[in-house]
Amino acid sequence: MDVARTQAALRLIARGFEELAAALGEAQEEAGEDERTARVIEEWGRRGLTQKEASALFQRHGFAPQTTGGWARGDWVEIRDDGLRYLTAKSHTWLEDRA
């Protein structure tokens, strides 16, 4: 099995589901990405979350559960020595600047 191709295919499927969900949600005027991002940061706060908790938080706000990884690559989330995920100063500053 080609793991890289399988991962790429799964990401394409996930994006397709995101687009489908967005199309279905337009009639209900789903919150935009910035609003959902703000809600994630507000709910997360300064506490550490496990991978499972972080994934569930993103899902509750309409993001793919893998979003934590993208945020980590963008320096919005860091994984500390305790194994938990924490929002970085960049995340908190973004939220403060938005207000």
Side-chain angles (χ1 to χ4, degrees):
M1 174 187 284
D2 184 343
V3 175
R5 286 187 67 201
T6 302
Q7 289 174 326
L10 288 171
R11 287 186 184 98
L12 285 173
I13 292 168
R15 272 182 270 184
F17 282 127
E18 287 290 324
E19 296 217 11
L20 178 59
L24 293 173
E26 286 175 1
Q28 299 172 7
E29 294 191 34
E30 183 179 312
E33 185 173 346
D34 281 356
E35 180 60 33
R36 291 181 296 125
T37 297
R39 290 176 186 171
V40 167
I41 294 170
E42 288 170 348
E43 185 175 339
W44 193 322
R46 300 199 179 271
R47 63 194 165 102
L49 299 178
T50 65
Q51 180 180 9
K52 189 174 183 175
E53 291 169 333
S55 293
L57 174 62
F58 279 112
Q59 284 184 295
R60 275 196 305 279
H61 293 285
F63 291 99
Q66 302 86 353
T67 303
T68 310
W71 280 33
R73 286 186 294 281
D75 295 325
W76 289 66
V77 169
E78 65 180 348
I79 301 173
R80 295 190 186 160
D81 291 338
D82 61 4
L84 298 178
R85 285 115 184 98
Y86 294 85
L87 293 176
T88 63
K90 180 178 180 177
S91 298
H92 296 290
T93 300
W94 179 89
L95 184 62
E96 291 165 7
D97 290 347
R98 189 172 183 272

